Amino acid sequence: FEWDVDLTAGYANTFLKNISRRPGTGHFGGCDTPEIGDRLRQGGFDALLVLGWNLKSYLQGVLAAKRLGMPVLVRGDSHMGTPRSPAKAAFKRLTYRPLLRLFDGVLFVGKKSRAYYEHYGYPADQLTFSPHCVDTEWFAARATEAARVGLRQKLGIAPEVPVVVFAGRLLPFKRPLDVVAAAALCRTRGIGVEIMIAGDGALGEMIVAEAAATGVPLHMLGFCNQTAMPGVYAAADYLTLPSDGRETWGLVVNEALACRRPVLVSDACGCAADLADGSVVRSFPTGDVAALADAMRAMMAAPPSAAEISAVSADWSLRAAAHGIVAAATRAASQKATRRTSRAV
């Protein structure tokens, strides 16, 4: 698929040539861009920001920047709750401490992200907060009452019916079947909740079958591109994200909040430590369907106001994220200049 929003408008940009024989982001060699060194040398850049070290292209950029004396920053959402084998954990303990020393600054996106870098011994004075974010203003402007009414009418959902939305790929680690099971529990207690699923994946047929077997009204929207999502959130009453720890953050939570919709999120999701406040974003134990059903009932009984939701969303904006990146780059450049001066003296 292709995103139906322009991701490069408003700023100068260049695409690097990928010479990988198997292009892709799923394996280390899938992004191979040897020209990045020349690009950095010619570009007059103040710093390099990479979003990890799991691709060859990232390390090519890091090593090239180091040769040029350019500050290097990294920003990512990894956390310690992601499942890993004992062998992999031991390998990371041995390699990540020296690897992280390549970076002149680290940008963490939330509490679990910060704890990850602290676990591997990265200096606290070189950690900078740059929150995980979406374009909150873009989502808010499109999540209108007209969009809500229009999609509900299209799907045959009555105005007063409570609707929970699940947004994302239909994969086991995201646990979309938990939403169906929790909705079924709610309906046995007299709460006529319906479900919208915005996404596609391997569990699609199982979700349809389970909803039919338990009598839960289900609206399968399939994959929804970016411009459709504000209307989806507007048509729902809240978002539920029941994923396990492999959900390193969960940006659909940010999207829903930007659309003034409250959220139920599992305690294993990366965003839970920062966003779950018991009102706007409620957390529940991962895999506990009864607890999720209770959280659904509580959210419907006492939903937060649009103003309360917007106040939470505002702290996770593009502006806040950009501010952190600029602050980290400025500090890293200043520290490099100081070290050069000290060596010269």
Side-chain angles (χ1 to χ4, degrees):
F1 69 91
E2 292 184 2
W3 292 115
D4 59 358
V5 293
D6 191 342
L7 300 179
T8 57
Y11 60 91
N13 59 86
T14 299
F15 283 89
L16 298 170
K17 183 179 180 181
N18 186 8
I19 65 170
S20 173
R21 292 182 178 181
R22 286 197 303 132
T25 58
H27 61 105
F28 179 76
C31 292
D32 185 355
T33 55
E35 67 176 308
I36 193 170
D38 291 335
R39 295 284 188 174
L40 291 175
R41 187 181 305 106
Q42 298 162 6
F45 300 106
D46 296 304
L48 171 69
L49 170 64
V50 294
L51 304 181
W53 49 85
N54 59 313
L55 296 173
K56 185 176 182 179
S57 183
Y58 290 151
L59 293 186
Q60 287 171 325
V62 170
L63 296 177
K66 285 293 182 182
R67 289 193 294 269
L68 295 169
M70 182 185 300
V72 182
L73 311 174
V74 66
R75 182 174 183 264
D77 58 9
S78 297
H79 63 79
M80 298 305 299
T82 304
R84 64 200 71 193
S85 67
K88 190 171 185 179
F91 174 78
K92 288 185 174 184
R93 281 196 301 271
L94 290 173
T95 59
Y96 275 23
R97 285 178 181 266
L99 173 67
L100 286 171
R101 295 295 178 171
L102 289 172
F103 301 111
D104 300 290
V106 162
L107 294 147
F108 63 93
V109 300
K111 292 177 181 177
K112 288 187 177 182
S113 169
R114 176 169 189 146
Y116 178 86
Y117 291 110
E118 289 176 337
H119 174 80
Y120 291 112
Y122 196 81
D125 62 352
Q126 291 175 257
L127 289 167
T128 305
F129 181 47
S130 175
H132 236 330
C133 65
V134 298
D135 190 340
T136 52
E137 295 178 359
W138 185 91
F139 277 94
R142 290 160 176 79
T144 62
E145 181 64 21
R148 175 181 176 86
V149 171
L151 184 53
R152 280 189 168 233
Q153 288 180 343
K154 179 180 178 181
L155 297 174
I157 303 172
E160 71 280 3
V161 170
V163 175
V164 57
V165 63
F166 172 91
R169 292 175 295 163
L170 306 183
L171 300 176
F173 85 88
K174 288 182 176 285
R175 306 185 66 90
L177 286 163
D178 287 5
V179 182
V180 179
L185 274 178
C186 286
R187 292 181 69 83
T188 64
R189 298 167 183 171
I191 302 171
V193 65
E194 299 187 11
I195 299 175
M196 288 195 307
I197 301 287
D200 203 355
L203 296 180
E205 291 183 2
M206 291 182 64
I207 291 169
V208 172
E210 184 65 19
T214 54
V216 176
L218 175 67
H219 307 277
M220 297 291 288
L221 306 182
F223 169 75
C224 297
N225 218 323
Q226 200 75 352
T227 56
M229 287 308 300
V232 171
Y233 294 123
D237 294 293
Y238 54 92
L239 168 79
T240 297
L241 184 64
S243 307
D244 66 26
R246 285 170 285 184
E247 190 77 71
T248 53
W249 183 263
L251 280 174
V252 293
V253 173
N254 298 61
E255 294 175 358
L257 294 175
C259 294
R260 299 175 295 279
R261 292 297 178 267
V263 177
L264 304 177
V265 64
S266 75
D267 57 3
C269 290
C271 66
D274 295 270
L275 293 175
D277 61 357
S279 174
V280 171
V281 180
R282 298 174 185 245
S283 68
F284 58 90
T286 308
D288 190 334
V289 171
L292 173 53
D294 289 341
M296 285 182 173
R297 294 165 59 205
M299 184 67 81
M300 287 181 279
S305 68
E308 290 174 308
I309 301 171
S310 294
V312 173
S313 177
D315 292 333
W316 302 84
S317 65
L318 288 174
R319 185 180 301 276
H323 177 78
I325 294 170
V326 171
T330 301
R331 181 173 58 195
S334 175
Q335 291 172 342
K336 272 195 172 293
T338 299
R339 287 195 292 270
R340 290 193 194 101
T341 301
S342 298
R343 287 195 294 267
V345 172

